[in-house]
């Protein structure tokens, strides 16, 4: 119960990695708040998580929603110990096909929204707290069609490093997690059909040394570790969790 009675916020906690992490936080004794845009999905996930989990419908790309979220969390819990900035979207197309609307949608959720979510939570984040940013191996690889998504994630990694230094005086630790392919609904939400998703997964599996995509629960365990005092000397760090995908084998 390494998060006993800690108050933990998970943005994008109604699905995939966020939901699995919320489950892990609850299992470790935390009081959890989850967010998402889909009110029904947020309410159902909060009920399923149990243990008094609070679901707040809030769009990470909206600064007004961030203000409302922080106000609600402050009113119900006072302070926060853990902030897991996980909400994110993907959309993939060649650079020549990227519209301004698609560019803004990704950057506003994945980066601008993440930035202001942190800024607005800082006044109610306890000294000694933990912030975890959910990035991607896309932040430092060159997957064709992922220009905007990858840039949005690289910006998060830069933010994590900078904030780890800025917030050290308050003993707030800031770390970044870079998953490789994880089985979640993100690709179907990005508009890919089942056949294309299977083909992508197959291609990834062939390239991943451990020969499979990861599970959300595997990422959740790493995030829960970074959230806890077991990781008390870890800040400004980045962790790949990708089955070895990004290791350059050089030979073989
Ligand atoms: N799956 C992978 O292979 C993979 C790999 C590397 C990194 N990631 C990253 O992992 C994070 C979680 O993704 P996932 O794979 O678990 O996908 P997912 O199942 O689609 O979960 C995304 C979550 O974010 C929420 N969300 C999306 N846009 C939001 C917004 N504007 N405001 C608030 N909540 C929002 C979604 O809820 P609503 O739809 O209700 O808003 C959902 O709860 C993302 O940042 C993604 O980029 C995923």
């Amino acid at each position: 119960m390494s998060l006993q009675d800690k108050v933990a916020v998970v943005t994008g906690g109604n699905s995939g990695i966020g939901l699995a992490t919320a489950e892990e936080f609850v299992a470790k004794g935390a009081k959890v708040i989850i967010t998402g845009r889909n009110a029904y999905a947020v309410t159902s996930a909060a009920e399923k998580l149990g243990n008094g989990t609070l679901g707040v419908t809030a769009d990470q790309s909206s600064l007004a929603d961030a203000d409302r979220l922080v106000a609600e969390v402050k009113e119900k819990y006072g302070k926060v110990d853990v902030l897991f900035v996980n909400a994110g979207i993907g959309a993939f197309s060649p650079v020549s096909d990227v519209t301004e609307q698609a560019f803004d949608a990704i950057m506003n959720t994945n980066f601008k929204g993440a930035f202001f979510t942190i800024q607005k939570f800082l006044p109610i984040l306890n000294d000694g707290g933990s912030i975890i940013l959910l990035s991607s191996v896309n932040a430092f690889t060159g997957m064709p069609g992922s220009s905007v998504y990858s840039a949005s994630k690289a910006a998060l990694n830069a933010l994590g490093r900078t904030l780890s230094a800025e917030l050290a005086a308050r003993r707030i630790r800031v770390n970044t997690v870079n998953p490789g392919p994880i089985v979640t609904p993100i690709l179907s939400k990005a508009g890919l059909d089942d056949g294309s998703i299977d083909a992508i997964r197959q291609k990834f599996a062939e390239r991943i040394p451990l020969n499979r995509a990861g599970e959300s629960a595997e990422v959740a365990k790493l995030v829960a570790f970074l959230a806890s005092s077991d990781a008390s000397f870890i800040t400004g760090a980045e962790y790949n969790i990708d089955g070895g995908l990004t290791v350059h084998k050089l030979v073989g």
Side-chain angles (χ1 to χ4, degrees):
M1 301 296 272
S2 58
L3 295 172
Q4 187 67 47
D5 295 331
K6 300 290 183 193
V7 176
V9 176
V10 178
T11 74
N14 64 33
S15 171
I17 294 167
L19 178 58
T21 306
E23 279 171 1
E24 188 69 18
F25 283 176
V26 168
K28 292 192 178 310
K31 298 172 191 161
V32 176
I33 300 100
I34 60 166
T35 75
R37 294 161 301 175
N38 180 325
Y40 175 74
V42 170
T43 309
S44 319
E47 270 170 23
K48 189 180 148 215
L49 286 160
N51 204 37
T53 299
L54 175 68
V56 180
T57 307
D59 184 339
Q60 185 161 283
S61 67
S62 159
L63 273 65
D65 278 14
D67 283 329
R68 190 172 45 77
L69 169 66
V70 171
E72 191 167 341
V73 172
K74 184 178 179 185
E75 191 198 321
K76 297 218 163 84
Y77 300 90
K79 291 275 194 169
V80 166
D81 301 289
V82 176
L83 176 58
F84 179 35
V85 184
N86 160 79
I89 52 172
F92 304 93
S93 58
V95 63
S96 48
D97 295 347
V98 174
T99 62
E100 183 181 7
Q101 192 188 22
F103 182 99
D104 286 345
I106 294 175
M107 290 307 266
N108 288 348
T109 298
N110 293 8
F111 180 57
K112 181 182 171 189
F115 181 97
F116 284 103
T117 297
I118 295 169
Q119 185 198 65
K120 288 173 185 298
F121 265 107
L122 280 178
I124 64 162
L125 190 63
N126 274 322
D127 288 358
S130 173
I131 299 173
I132 303 106
L133 305 178
L134 206 287
S135 181
S136 167
V137 293
N138 283 105
F140 57 90
T141 51
M143 188 175 96
S146 75
S147 54
V148 184
Y149 179 77
S150 296
S152 75
K153 293 301 190 181
L156 271 187
N157 293 53
L159 180 65
R161 286 190 294 272
T162 310
L163 293 189
S164 69
E166 266 189 43
L167 302 178
R170 289 180 56 194
R171 293 177 293 104
I172 294 170
R173 297 178 297 104
V174 187
N175 293 294
T176 305
V177 171
N178 305 323
I182 307 296
V183 180
T184 74
I186 195 168
L187 294 178
S188 56
K189 288 183 187 171
L192 276 74
D193 59 44
D194 288 352
S196 312
I197 293 171
D198 286 347
I200 290 173
R201 293 237 165 90
Q202 179 63 30
K203 223 175 197 177
F204 274 133
E206 285 163 13
R207 288 189 171 206
I208 294 171
L210 292 184
N211 211 264
R212 64 174 177 87
E215 299 294 334
S216 294
E218 295 176 304
V219 181
K221 298 237 182 256
L222 173 58
V223 176
F225 165 70
L226 291 170
S228 77
S229 61
D230 290 342
S232 53
F233 198 50
I234 301 177
T235 193
E238 293 177 29
Y239 289 86
N240 296 344
I241 175 162
D242 66 355
L245 175 64
T246 50
V247 172
H248 195 304
K249 290 198 272 184
L250 211 56
V251 288

